Amino acid sequence: MIWGKVVSFTGRGAETGRRIAALLGEGKIECYARGVDPSLEGTKLARMVQQAMVDCNLLVFVGACGIAVRAIAPYLQGKAYDPAVLVVDEGAKFVIPLVSGHLGGANALAVRLAEGLGAQAVVTTATDGRGLFAVDTWAREHGCTVLNPGEIRFVSAALLRGESVGLQTDFPVQGAIPRYIKQGGGQDAGFTVDLSGARQPFAHTLHLVPRIVCVGLGCRRGASRQAVEQAVGAALKQAGVHIAALQAVASIDVKRDEAGLLDFCKDHNLPAVFYSADELRLAPGRFTASDFVQQAVGVDNVCERAAVWHTGGGKLLMAKTAHDGVTVALAAQNWGMEF
């Protein structure tokens, strides 16, 4: 989902901005025609940009690169945090990704917008220029969190020098691996793809964690946010799963108003999803049954069934564990690496 702002400065630029918004119609796009809209008179561009750099994952300037660079410079935090920032000239001849070309998807958006506008995408990142594998782009496209983005430069630099980089993964690999990526060890730079994010097989190891794990959760009425945090943390530690691997927290629908569960999800930016007892009974597999739970909510197990059901019949990584009135299970959806 794209949450973006398009900022323009002239009448012609405003028209280009509207075309850009139409091309990104599936997202929530706001257009700010600063040279045209009287309601924006007296507002500060710096304040608007500061807010956009926090709230949005896309910021498009229709105008000069210099304006964009000066506007975003005070608010840049790093490639793992900055939104995609692009510049389009008011005549829609060129689309230039300035920031977050890979992790933020600015390069891909530039190509997409250029096609829609009949423009030329100006992509300047070295790996794209040479047609090399960009590990951060791959991570973004395949739903992986980059735990230590500072290591990206070592992987990219090795590829640009014509050296091979290493790969270690727990997952099946589908498709032909690029010839300059070698599974195993022996390389100075490489990347891991697993749920723990803890291995260090290379001198410079980039850790990629796929977001494929669901927390199935049950709790007594009124369980605190702290109790949920401690129970989930203990389960993740026992299973050797990094919290970045989580995609959702799932439970039964009678728990949809539990403040502790909802606060945990909000704090960790995780969706809370709830299923009926009838749905949970359809989860495939064998589960830890409880007569008490059956009588209370109409199904013999909540946490294991919710985790497996949400992941589409995925693998149960951690069976039901209890901690201070909270029960937790972990399941991972079926996933493999694709090149």
Side-chain angles (χ1 to χ4, degrees):
M1 178 71 171
I2 297 176
W3 295 77
K5 295 184 187 300
V6 180
V7 182
S8 60
F9 305 93
T10 66
R12 189 180 184 194
E15 176 57 32
T16 296
R18 287 190 288 269
R19 292 175 63 195
I20 291 169
L23 290 169
L24 301 173
E26 80 285 2
K28 183 178 179 181
I29 309 297
E30 298 176 335
C31 290
Y32 293 89
R34 296 186 60 82
V36 177
D37 187 346
S39 69
L40 297 176
E41 291 182 7
T43 62
K44 298 291 187 181
L45 177 63
R47 176 58 181 154
M48 178 183 292
V49 170
Q50 181 183 31
Q51 196 67 42
M53 294 291 283
V54 174
D55 294 340
C56 300
N57 55 22
L58 173 64
L59 178 58
V60 181
F61 291 88
V62 183
C65 282
I67 295 175
V69 170
R70 285 190 292 271
I72 67 174
Y75 313 115
L76 294 173
Q77 299 183 61
K79 65 171 62 185
Y81 310 102
D82 298 327
V85 180
L86 295 88
V87 175
V88 181
D89 66 289
E90 65 172 23
K93 294 180 180 179
F94 302 101
V95 183
I96 308 168
L98 287 185
V99 172
S100 292
H102 292 155
L103 283 180
N107 288 358
L109 281 169
V111 173
R112 175 181 168 186
L113 288 178
E115 291 176 350
L117 295 169
Q120 173 66 52
V122 183
V123 178
T124 59
T125 44
T127 50
D128 294 273
R130 298 194 197 179
L132 295 174
F133 175 76
V135 67
D136 37 358
T137 296
W138 184 92
R140 182 180 184 276
E141 292 176 346
H142 292 84
C144 293
T145 296
V146 180
L147 296 187
N148 52 340
E151 298 297 306
I152 292 172
R153 68 183 188 275
F154 294 103
V155 173
S156 296
L159 293 174
L160 290 169
R161 291 194 300 268
E163 300 171 3
S164 62
V165 298
L167 165 64
Q168 283 198 7
T169 181
D170 294 332
F171 297 100
V173 178
Q174 304 167 12
I177 301 176
R179 57 180 176 78
Y180 35 78
I181 297 177
K182 306 297 182 184
Q183 283 190 272
Q187 289 76 29
D188 180 67
F191 61 104
T192 62
V193 183
D194 59 35
L195 295 178
S196 71
R199 298 175 183 172
Q200 195 69 30
F202 313 106
H204 296 287
T205 302
L206 178 67
H207 299 291
L208 309 183
V209 176
R211 296 183 291 274
I212 60 172
V213 176
C214 176
V215 175
L217 193 142
C219 63
R220 68 187 177 200
R221 178 61 61 183
S224 69
R225 182 233 177 276
Q226 182 180 12
V228 174
E229 181 83 43
Q230 291 176 345
V232 173
L236 293 174
K237 182 177 181 180
Q238 186 175 344
V241 174
H242 196 285
I243 194 169
L246 300 186
Q247 60 174 218
V249 175
S251 190
I252 194 167
D253 54 7
V254 297
K255 299 296 181 182
R256 66 172 64 252
D257 61 347
E258 287 290 342
L261 185 160
L262 296 175
D263 287 345
F264 171 84
C265 291
K266 181 180 179 181
D267 290 347
H268 292 282
N269 196 29
L270 291 169
V273 292
F274 301 94
Y275 299 105
S276 67
D278 289 340
E279 288 174 305
L280 295 183
R281 278 193 290 270
L282 297 175
R286 301 178 64 180
F287 305 103
T288 308
S290 166
D291 292 337
F292 173 79
V293 174
Q294 176 70 48
Q295 293 176 3
V297 298
V299 65
D300 62 1
N301 181 289
V302 170
C303 60
E304 292 176 359
R305 288 182 177 275
V308 170
W309 182 247
H310 184 75
T311 54
K315 178 183 178 182
L316 195 63
L317 302 177
M318 168 70 70
K320 174 182 175 180
T321 61
H323 187 282
D324 194 20
V326 179
T327 59
V328 174
L330 304 173
Q333 70 184 66
N334 296 320
W335 189 84
M337 290 188 63
E338 296 181 358
F339 288 99

